[in-house]
Amino acid sequence: AGPSGDGVGTPRPLYMDVQATTPLDPRVLDSMLPYLTACYGNPHSRTHAYGWESEAAMEKARRQVADLIGADSREIIFTSGATESNNMAIKGVARFYKSRKKHIITTQTEHKCVLDSCRSLESEGFQVTYLPVKKNGLIDLKELEAAFRPDTSLVSVMTVNNEIGVKQPVGDIGEICRAHKVFFHTDAAQAIGKIPMNVNNMKIDLMSISGHKIYGPKGVGAIYVRRRPRVRLEPLQSGGGQERGLRSGTVPTPLAVGLGAACEVAQQEMEYDHKRISQLAERLVTNIMSEVPDVVMNGDREHRYPGCINLSFAYVEGESLLMALKDVALSSGSACTSASLEPSYVLRAIGTDEDLAHSSIRFGIGRFTTEEEVDYTVRKCIQHVRRLREMSPLWEMVQDGIDLKSIKWTQH
């Protein structure tokens, strides 16, 4: 199996980048179509049938999202995606409680939009503790305990990391936050619909959700905001007071319906998908590592979501490998930051050597990935890593038993 055509004559690469985005599940598209055509009412119009049918569809979608995470549908607010949800949670809580509380705790490996929200709060006079992570990418719960202060209002830790796939112990973090009476927010964009999440068991107070990471439409997401104990937010957006006043603006019914359908499908398929994706991931890693030496898997081997695999190929420039693998759509890190040639800050935080960080590739395996696609990717990967290493003087020196760390490189 090689790349597929797009019907326009140009062959398209195999898609192995599901952390960046996922294709729309056909079942989701089916549920959206009526609201893109005949049922076009504004869900906030209360005086006619067009509005009522859209409102009913929107509320059904709200229940579908809530059911996936064990929440009450009144705790689900529709947003434009996880970036907006993360901004709302972090800035909203911080600003609402700012008269008494000025401190926030997060980690160094969060998504850009969480880190940037925290940076922007620092310029407003808030203080932020950025917890380091251990070599395996997990936070140290003792360090979290030690970071609390009497004026801490929020802890924000993502569930599954988008670059290395490690899964933080959110249940334990939730317990610790509840004991300290501090709100706990988690960016669950990469976890929701893929691993079981329950906001009550895990003591989560706010959760960010994205539609296009779970085979739903792009441009829609949700934020879960706990009602008891009640979490208060200062809204970012002012307007007509829709979504309990927390997110004004007309809810886009077709997108909300798509998000709801994607959540329902994910709930039905979760166990099957997880099992299948685990097998494919195991196949990919085992087959690459058995054929190519000096490959490092980044992030904890046990506590992880199997569909996100980040491998470093020593003595190979990651960008060159991506170029060589042009018939497979892969990335060297998160889509949001892949335009810069800086090595990933996530890999830096887990202590990856600069040169290894530059040689890392992220493989994403999802609901529609086939065994043939995995085998094709493995084959191409092995072929190009070998070829690129043969061209590398560093690889030659290592084969000759020279320790690269012992060399004094001179600057000309």
Side-chain angles (χ1 to χ4, degrees):
S4 57
D6 62 355
V8 193
T10 50
R12 306 180 72 198
L14 300 183
Y15 191 71
M16 296 285 280
D17 197 18
V18 294
Q19 274 70 45
T21 194
T22 54
L24 194 65
D25 190 298
R27 293 164 285 190
V28 172
L29 179 61
D30 285 346
S31 71
M32 291 169 67
L33 278 172
Y35 302 94
L36 288 162
T37 49
C39 311
Y40 50 78
N42 182 321
H44 313 291
S45 299
R46 289 287 164 82
T47 54
H48 50 67
Y50 288 86
W52 303 330
E53 71 186 357
S54 288
E55 185 187 25
M58 174 180 81
E59 291 310 328
K60 177 187 173 189
R62 205 186 297 281
R63 283 195 301 279
Q64 290 168 315
V65 177
D67 287 347
L68 180 60
I69 59 170
D72 180 312
S73 62
R74 292 169 299 180
E75 299 174 306
I76 302 297
I77 307 286
F78 289 115
T79 67
S80 63
T83 291
E84 186 186 355
S85 301
N86 284 335
N87 273 266
M88 277 173 72
I90 292 163
K91 294 174 182 169
V93 167
R95 290 173 184 160
F96 191 92
Y97 296 97
K98 67 172 183 263
S99 58
R100 303 192 310 283
K101 299 187 166 182
K102 281 293 207 189
H103 180 237
I104 291 163
I105 300 171
T106 187
T107 79
Q108 293 174 2
T109 52
E110 293 300 305
H111 190 277
K112 238 341 191 219
C113 62
V114 167
L115 296 175
D116 281 0
S117 294
C118 290
R119 294 261 183 271
S120 117
L121 287 173
E122 284 179 302
S123 68
E124 294 174 29
F126 290 90
Q127 287 164 333
V128 182
T129 299
Y130 299 94
L131 293 173
V133 292
K134 298 181 286 198
K135 270 232 168 294
N136 61 2
L138 298 173
I139 64 166
D140 183 332
L141 294 174
K142 290 193 182 64
E143 287 185 13
L144 171 64
E145 280 275 9
F148 283 96
R149 306 191 332 203
D151 66 340
T152 305
S153 61
L154 182 75
V155 169
S156 179
V157 179
M158 75 198 316
T159 305
V160 169
N161 186 276
N162 53 312
E163 285 192 38
I164 56 176
V166 299
K167 189 165 82 198
Q168 299 291 351
V170 276
D172 299 339
I173 296 169
E175 291 285 353
I176 294 170
C177 292
R178 190 63 60 85
H180 285 270
K181 293 191 166 46
V182 168
F183 293 129
F184 173 38
H185 164 251
T186 187
D187 169 1
Q190 297 285 353
I192 188 108
K194 300 184 173 82
I195 57 173
M197 297 287 292
N198 183 298
V199 289
N200 294 315
N201 300 349
M202 295 173 163
K203 312 253 189 300
I204 294 165
D205 299 303
L206 301 114
M207 179 194 276
S208 302
I209 295 170
S210 168
H212 75 107
K213 306 289 188 191
I214 55 167
Y215 311 92
K218 292 165 179 58
V220 69
I223 181 172
Y224 155 79
V225 182
R226 180 175 288 285
R227 286 169 64 93
R228 286 192 194 76
R230 189 171 177 202
V231 183
R232 308 288 300 273
L233 305 178
E234 193 173 288
L236 298 181
Q237 200 151 293
S238 320
Q242 294 92 337
E243 297 301 277
R244 307 214 328 258
L246 292 177
R247 207 282 188 181
S248 289
T250 302
V251 171
T253 312
L255 295 180
V257 165
L259 175 62
C263 286
E264 185 168 298
V265 170
Q267 196 167 0
Q268 290 159 0
E269 311 268 328
M270 194 185 304
E271 217 174 306
Y272 175 80
D273 278 350
H274 196 277
K275 199 170 140 191
R276 205 175 145 272
I277 288 167
S278 301
Q279 288 164 347
L280 291 177
E282 188 57 38
R283 187 180 181 105
L284 178 110
V285 175
T286 312
N287 292 350
I288 288 178
M289 287 189 165
S290 63
E291 291 291 326
V292 182
D294 296 311
V295 179
V296 179
M297 185 168 181
N298 296 304
D300 194 274
R301 271 293 179 94
E302 295 304 305
H303 303 278
R304 64 180 309 104
Y305 169 64
C308 178
I309 303 152
N310 191 304
L311 301 178
S312 291
F313 298 89
Y315 322 111
V316 172
E317 188 64 58
E319 294 300 319
S320 327
L321 186 51
L322 281 180
M323 287 308 182
L325 289 164
K326 58 182 178 296
D327 47 3
V328 183
L330 294 159
S331 76
S332 55
S334 90
C336 323
T337 51
S338 62
S340 71
L341 283 173
E342 276 287 283
S344 141
Y345 64 89
V346 173
L347 294 180
R348 208 180 282 153
I350 61 172
T352 308
D353 281 349
E354 188 93 356
D355 50 349
L356 264 185
H358 272 299
S359 72
S360 74
I361 302 275
R362 182 182 68 183
F363 300 84
I365 294 177
R367 182 179 294 165
F368 302 118
T369 309
T370 65
E371 209 166 83
E372 292 77 30
E373 288 175 324
V374 168
D375 292 346
Y376 182 84
T377 304
V378 167
R379 211 164 52 243
K380 286 285 177 187
C381 202
I382 294 168
Q383 177 192 335
H384 290 300
V385 169
R386 284 179 179 157
R387 184 179 59 82
L388 288 166
R389 279 181 178 171
E390 274 159 22
M391 294 157 55
S392 157
L394 296 179
W395 175 249
E396 209 170 301
M397 291 159 88
V398 172
Q399 299 314 298
D400 293 341
I402 299 168
D403 176 13
L404 296 184
K405 296 258 189 292
S406 67
I407 297 172
K408 302 275 183 285
W409 302 99
T410 57
Q411 298 284 328
H412 289 296

